[in-house]
Amino acid sequence: QSQNKWKPQHPLLSAMSSSPISVPKPQPMTAAQELDELLDDLGHTESKLPGQGASAPEEASLDNMLGSLTRDLQELGITAAPAGVCAGCRKPIAGKVLTALGKTWHPEHFTCAHCGQELDNQPFFEHGGRAYCEEDYHQAFSPRCAYCAGPIREVNHPPRQPLLPPPAASPHLFLQKVLTALDQTWHPEHFFCAHCGKVFGDDGFLERSGKPYCRQDFLDMFAPRCQGCERPVTDNYLSALQGVWHLECFVCVECLSGFAGGSFFELEGRPYCELHFHQRQGTICHGCGRPVTGRCITAAGRKYHPEHFTCTYCLGRLQKGTFREWGDKMYCHACYDKLFL
């Protein structure tokens, strides 16, 4: 006997009418909507990836997703041409692009070659085709001040601004000037007299052992001293008595007269004219008051030219041992007896 067989049906199916029902078709999405959804999905996936220390498989997975996104865009008729290849990571740039040093970069990959600081929103300095932040550039390449040994931020090395769309506002930088002197570089405020610390004026500076000095300190410390006035000798001078002299200071110590004939007498390291030299020596003729330079007669503690050793009364020449003295004058025996006996 045949048995009626039945098959269980889904409640919804059993409630359906036997007449056909048209199912509404979904409206096709625009290419822009498809792109937005794909980018949203990619952003959602990236948010699940660890931000630091991502492993190689995760990076490969991200690259695969980017490749899949590119293919999907191509199927929708959208050609996703990269904006360039990043000079830092060597990968295509799909988003914001930074142009600097004649290359394109991901903004986060344009960093200081020394400290790794991102440079996308600040000026940078270039050396050897590499970018540096301001501090690292000056520490590595700027000239050093001969006084403080610190870097000199020269005005002839202005910072360069990365080209961003739109350009980022650069902070104001206080660049320093460089001063070159004595074959060295200096901060202008550090180039001053090595003795008194004064900044040099219109007189400039003088150098000694690689150090700068103002004129006054240089002369006081290093210029030779005049033997007459003890002041520094800077120009016209003469050398005498193992020292240097201003021309106007080389005079007789006693009468302060110059030596017109070019000759002088020296006594205890000081210059004298002939008269005052002999006075100091006690060699002035008691008869004429002039220096005795040749033959000399000494009598009663005084010196005479032979021709001036005469009787005070008759002026006859006296012989040593044949005269008489009265007061401080000399007489022959005849005149002495005539006058005083």
Side-chain angles (χ1 to χ4, degrees), residues 119-322:
L119 301 175
D120 60 327
N121 289 319
Q122 60 179 304
F124 67 95
F125 290 76
E126 181 269 342
H127 189 274
R130 306 177 74 187
Y132 295 85
C133 66
E134 181 186 5
E135 186 62 28
D136 286 338
Y137 175 85
H138 289 305
Q139 289 294 335
F141 306 112
S142 289
R144 297 280 170 167
C145 174
Y147 176 78
C148 70
I152 303 174
R153 304 166 189 266
E154 296 179 284
V155 293
N156 57 341
H157 288 288
R160 302 170 63 181
Q161 179 68 37
L163 303 180
L164 292 173
S170 61
H172 182 67
L173 297 178
F174 295 93
L175 297 179
Q176 299 167 317
K177 293 183 179 180
V178 58
L179 186 150
T180 302
L182 306 179
D183 297 326
Q184 301 179 89
T185 52
W186 312 72
H187 290 118
E189 66 273 17
H190 289 165
F191 189 65
F192 44 70
C193 175
H195 181 69
C196 69
K198 293 181 180 178
V199 177
F200 302 114
D202 295 337
D203 290 340
F205 67 93
L206 298 171
E207 178 267 342
R208 178 82 171 195
S209 301
K211 295 181 179 180
Y213 295 87
C214 65
R215 179 179 177 82
Q216 185 61 48
D217 285 341
F218 182 89
L219 296 179
D220 289 343
M221 296 172 67
F222 307 114
R225 298 281 174 169
C226 173
Q227 296 289 334
C229 66
E230 297 296 326
R231 292 183 290 108
V233 175
T234 59
D235 43 22
N236 297 331
Y237 69 94
L238 59 85
S239 297
L241 304 179
Q242 300 181 345
V244 294
W245 306 71
H246 293 119
L247 298 181
E248 63 274 17
C249 294
F250 192 65
V251 294
C252 173
V253 175
E254 292 290 338
C255 64
L256 303 181
S257 60
F259 306 111
S263 60
F264 64 93
F265 292 80
E266 183 269 341
L267 182 63
E268 297 178 353
R270 311 302 293 174
Y272 289 86
C273 64
E274 184 179 21
L275 175 63
H276 291 102
F277 171 79
H278 285 285
Q279 282 184 350
R280 283 294 188 104
Q281 292 289 81
T283 53
I284 295 294
C285 176
H286 190 68
C288 68
R290 298 180 60 81
V292 178
T293 57
R295 292 178 58 211
C296 175
I297 294 177
T298 301
R302 295 185 290 268
K303 298 183 182 300
Y304 298 84
H305 292 112
E307 63 273 21
H308 296 156
F309 187 55
T310 60
C311 174
T312 303
Y313 186 74
C314 67
L315 303 180
R317 294 186 64 174
L318 300 174
Q319 298 295 326
K320 190 174 182 179
T322 61

